[in-house]
Amino acid sequence: MNIAAAFEPSMPGISPGIYDNDDFTAISEIAHREAGLVLPPGKAMLVYSRLAPLVRDSGCATFGSYVMRIREDNEERARAICALTTNHTFFYREAHHFEHFAQELRPDFVKRLERGGKLRIWSAGCSSGEETWSLLMTLLGPERNAGLAIAQRDVRMLSSDIAVHALHKASAARYRAEDLKPVPERLREAWCRIDGTDATIAPEMQALVRFRSLNLQGPWPMRGEFDVIFCRNVMIYFDTPTKERLVARFAQQLAPGGHLYIGHSERVTGPALEHLTSVGPTIYRKGDRR
Ligand SMILES: C[S@@+](CC[C@H](N)C(=O)[O-])C[C@H]1O[C@@H](n2cnc3c(N)ncnc32)[C@H](O)[C@@H]1O
């Protein structure tokens, strides 16, 4: 079947007959091998619409020639993979995770930091940053001065994603004021500057984060362990063996007693269960239940 014949493409320069099942199959194999992304046949049109602008910009006349290009050209392949990611996110998504963090983990973390200890947090698959800022606002808390004192301590957050365009938005730390609505009012007031319809995250909070481009399926350059890893709504795009390998790596990268938070429709299975204990809905602790 010629998939493209079934619809009217909207991109100038792209016409029916230039995208077929072989192209889709080749692209989904590349996306799976490179980034773990699973693209079932139902995603054929989505792949078309996400990649058509890149095919046009690359000067390739057909998806077939674009497939040959991305096989050879690492940079273009990385661009194609970015375009195939889904970056939907929002502030305070799955609020129960932030409530758990605030009630169960934050008090000990604050004590630890006050005693001169360190805290390391990773948002793996942070997209455009809403998860990062929600978590940091929760850590610093509603009292601005107390929060600034915490921010002076040894706290660092790594926020990573494979999608460079999403990381640009994350590190700009600017959003529409209405995007902040799900954040509890006192946290919003303490850590966001609202200017008409725009909102900016407090610079003291921005200083705690390093945004990095990182493919979770590739090597991880980080040596240290993390006390908290958020990897939410990322593994939904992966198959079971890929998910199981990834959570096993998260378990290794967690400090003893560290916590892993995953998305509402995700579950830890496989060898990682030897190390991770469920302590709440989609929340896991490394080691035995306390
Ligand atoms: C739906 S967003 C989730 C954002 C946020 N964690 C949340 O729950 O709202 C999924 C993110 O995972 C990223 N992602 C997908 N595959 C990845 C991979 N192999 N390595 C790193 N990030 C990946 C995507 O780029 C996307 O930004």
Side-chain angles (χ1 to χ4, degrees), residues 52-64:
L54 278 70
V55 174
R56 186 194 54 196
D57 292 351
S58 69
C60 292
T62 65
F63 272 67

Side-chain angles (χ1 to χ4, degrees), residues 110-257:
V110 171
K111 278 187 212 142
R112 187 204 293 185
L113 291 167
E114 284 170 352
R115 287 196 304 264
K118 65 178 184 179
L119 177 62
R120 297 291 180 261
I121 303 175
W122 180 15
S123 166
C126 64
S127 187
S128 41
E130 288 84 340
E131 177 176 284
T132 297
W133 308 125
S134 302
L135 188 49
L136 282 177
M137 285 190 236
T138 309
L139 174 68
L140 299 195
E143 304 290 346
R144 198 174 147 77
N145 286 339
L148 289 175
I150 296 170
Q152 296 295 321
R153 305 280 176 177
D154 192 358
V155 186
R156 298 281 176 276
M157 179 152 183
L158 167 68
S159 289
S160 67
D161 203 285
I162 198 171
V164 182
H165 59 278
L167 289 171
H168 285 152
K169 181 171 180 200
S171 55
R174 279 195 301 276
Y175 299 88
R176 293 177 310 172
E178 66 183 83
D179 296 341
L180 273 299
K181 276 194 186 138
V183 177
E185 196 178 347
R186 290 185 63 211
L187 292 181
R188 204 169 57 214
E189 283 174 358
W191 303 111
C192 306
R193 200 187 67 222
I194 309 283
D195 186 6
T197 55
D198 298 329
T200 309
I201 303 298
E204 299 89 346
M205 192 171 276
Q206 293 185 42
L208 304 180
V209 189
R210 297 289 171 270
F211 287 103
R212 292 284 179 268
S213 163
L214 180 75
N215 181 354
L216 289 169
Q217 308 304 330
W220 297 351
M222 308 83 78
R223 296 228 183 85
E225 294 177 326
F226 291 91
D227 301 292
V228 176
I229 299 176
F230 269 52
C231 184
R232 309 185 312 158
N233 308 300
V234 176
M235 291 185 279
I236 38 173
Y237 304 104
F238 301 158
D239 56 22
T240 301
T242 307
K243 286 181 213 180
E244 292 190 350
R245 272 195 306 276
L246 182 60
V247 285
R249 291 177 80 189
F250 284 142
Q252 273 183 351
Q253 200 79 37
L254 276 173

Side-chain angles (χ1 to χ4, degrees), residues 277-288:
T277 308
S278 169
V279 292
T282 56
I283 308 170
Y284 296 82
R285 181 176 185 276
K286 182 169 174 175
D288 299 332

Side-chain angles (χ1 to χ4, degrees), residues 14-28:
I14 300 290
S15 45
I18 53 134
Y19 175 56
D20 61 26
N21 269 333
D22 289 347
D23 302 328
F24 170 70
T25 304
I27 291 164
S28 46

